[in-house]
Amino acid sequence: MILPGATLGVLGGGQLGRMFTLAAKVMGYQVVVLDPDPQSPAGQLADIHLKADYRDAVALIRMGGLCQAVTTEFENVPAASLETLAKHCLVAPSAAALAVAQDRLQEKTHARDSGCVTAPFANIESAADLAAAWQQIGAPALLKTRRLGYDGKGQARVDSAEGLAAAFKELGEVPCLLEGFLPLEREVSVVLARNAMDEIAFFPLAENQHRNGILDISIVPARIPESLAETARDMAAHLARELDYVGVMAVEFFVLKDGRIVFNEMAPRPHNSGHYTLDATACDQFQQQVRALCGLPLGDPRLLSPVVMVNLLGDVWRDAGITPPPWDELLKHPGVHLHLYGKAEARPGRKMGHYNCLAPSVEEALALALETRAALGIGAE
Ligand code: AMP
């Protein structure tokens, strides 16, 4: 067990690293952040901010020497960096678990092998694979790049063999997956933590709504039958065990119109759809990340109140990102909890913060979320 007083590290200084840093500091740890950006949200709060590239061997060795344990806030960390660090301190999740999450083919294959239901999928390495993939999947389908896709980027809907060939070209002929396009009823996610003693704790499922491919709101508890939530938790736990995963991870699922639940993807870190835990569960996902990393018993993930989380993107700032929204309109509601990430520049699509609306029922929390959103000028769908 790594106890308070020790030093922890995080690769990446964005908002996820910032909320990890806050949780660790509250619990009495020192924190080292590695991020090249001198203004990074986590670097602002860390005890030590190493301003260097993620591949910088000197910075990695320094970090490994300072820290008892290091984690990451994003999946695309170079494997070699984790291997360098692992020679000096504990690193979790492992490079192998991150590698799976970096590649949609490996991710879906692992998920299927560990008992998750997935959409039908076919691998496309080059144009030579297009015909066979189309024959296997057929219309309607989605073409997704295997790597570096996020927030709905790097994917295209295709409805014919010709459309598939054009979309593959458009995506740069990089390795892709062709997936069957499923009739979605809603999207949900489960955030879980697993420690090295194989203890697993699940946060309540969130129901997620997106706008332009970016998470917009999370509604908790998700409005789905408990039996489906249980299936989702079982699938997520199998996947975590199969990867021998240590840390916090999120698994996104689709609920189909026929009532089935299907694995979509995993994130090997705390997740935007788990930000509601900062105000609505006994232990939040970042405290849980500290506990899992340090080999501590996991905290209590129990929901204390229905909650709706609203993301705040840079689009809400006026005058080309200079004028912030009217915070007083938000903060006049006692049930609203505001979190801003300390980013100086508001750009369209950039995640600047979020707020959690707590209320006695999920309907009231949703009403508060919609009312406050309108007051900020976010507008309805
Ligand atoms: P992803 O990057 O895989 O999370 O996909 C982004 C969004 O596209 C998801 O949140 C869904 O709304 C939609 N989507 C992804 N895969 C499928 C699918 N196989 N069928 C229908 N919709 C999908």
Side-chain angles (χ1 to χ4, degrees):
M1 270 191 210
I2 299 171
L3 295 173
T7 301
L8 306 178
V10 59
L11 289 167
Q15 64 267 20
L16 300 178
R18 178 183 173 97
M19 291 182 270
F20 168 82
T21 300
L22 276 168
K25 292 207 54 91
V26 166
M27 290 166 75
Y29 294 90
Q30 318 286 313
V31 180
V32 178
V33 168
L34 177 65
D35 189 306
D37 176 4
Q39 317 286 346
S40 81
Q44 295 166 22
L45 303 179
D47 294 283
I48 298 178
H49 178 190
L50 300 172
K51 301 173 196 76
D53 188 82
Y54 302 115
R55 294 170 200 271
D56 184 325
V58 173
L60 290 164
I61 291 167
R62 171 124 191 266
M63 186 178 206
L66 286 165
C67 298
Q68 273 76 47
V70 171
T71 191
T72 70
E73 66 143 24
F74 63 105
E75 43 272 48
N76 295 312
V77 180
S81 301
L82 294 175
E83 282 154 21
T84 305
L85 275 170
K87 290 188 189 131
H88 301 271
C89 66
L90 188 150
V91 176
S94 66
L98 288 189
V100 169
Q102 284 171 8
D103 178 344
R104 287 189 195 273
L105 175 64
Q106 283 201 50
E107 186 182 42
K108 286 229 158 56
T109 306
H110 270 268
R112 200 174 53 189
D113 293 349
S114 60
C116 297
V117 179
T118 67
F121 61 90
N123 183 27
I124 300 176
E125 299 274 349
S126 71
D129 300 323
L130 289 171
W134 184 252
Q135 192 159 17
Q136 187 190 332
I137 305 299
L142 264 184
L143 184 67
K144 302 181 177 180
T145 58
R146 276 176 45 186
R147 292 180 171 274
L148 302 174
Y150 68 98
D151 288 344
K153 292 191 175 61
Q155 52 182 272
R157 168 90 188 247
V158 289
D159 292 300
S160 65
E162 299 71 42
L164 172 60
F168 185 60
K169 251 205 178 96
E170 186 72 18
L171 291 176
E173 305 202 352
V174 293
C176 284
L177 273 198
L178 186 66
E179 258 184 53
F181 188 85
L182 303 172
L184 310 190
E185 204 232 344
R186 57 186 94 216
E187 299 187 44
V188 297
S189 58
V190 58
V191 175
L192 67 79
R194 180 173 180 269
N195 63 17
M197 297 86 83
D198 193 30
E199 196 189 343
I200 292 186
F202 303 97
F203 289 105
L205 264 77
E207 176 181 338
N208 303 317
Q209 297 180 359
H210 302 83
R211 262 188 190 210
N212 304 322
I214 304 176
L215 182 65
D216 184 21
I217 65 172
S218 294
I219 303 166
V220 187
R223 297 165 299 176
I224 61 168
E226 178 48 31
S227 59
L228 274 192
E230 199 175 320
T231 306
R233 284 193 294 268
D234 282 350
M235 288 200 245
H238 275 114
L239 184 56
R241 288 210 166 95
E242 194 257 349
L243 294 172
D244 197 13
Y245 190 87
V246 173
V248 167
M249 72 184 241
V251 186
E252 296 183 52
F253 294 93
F254 300 139
V255 178
L256 304 191
K257 292 208 185 329
D258 65 9
R260 283 183 304 147
I261 187 152
V262 172
F263 169 93
N264 178 33
E265 61 183 3
M266 63 167 279
R269 51 175 170 77
H271 195 250
N272 197 165
S273 69
H275 289 353
Y276 77 86
T277 64
L278 285 165
D279 300 299
T281 49
C283 171
D284 70 54
Q285 63 170 346
F286 300 99
Q287 294 166 349
Q288 205 70 301
Q289 186 182 21
V290 172
R291 284 172 169 267
L293 177 65
C294 293
L296 302 174
L298 298 176
D300 179 359
R302 190 166 32 110
L303 191 67
L304 303 177
S305 166
V307 55
V308 172
M309 190 262 347
V310 180
N311 257 348
L312 290 165
L313 303 183
D315 312 58
V316 191
W317 274 244
R318 301 276 167 229
D319 310 318
I322 291 169
T323 309
W327 298 130
D328 48 337
E329 284 297 323
L330 205 55
L331 295 168
K332 71 183 185 194
H333 299 280
V336 167
H337 300 254
L338 176 64
H339 299 259
L340 292 174
Y341 306 148
K343 298 183 183 179
E345 206 185 322
R347 291 191 298 268
R350 190 176 198 203
K351 290 176 179 170
M352 302 296 290
H354 68 271
Y355 62 94
N356 289 323
C357 299
L358 273 63
S361 69
V362 78
E363 293 76 20
E364 287 162 284
L366 191 52
L368 181 56
L370 297 179
E371 180 192 337
T372 46
R373 247 164 56 129
L376 295 185
I378 303 181
E381 278 293 292

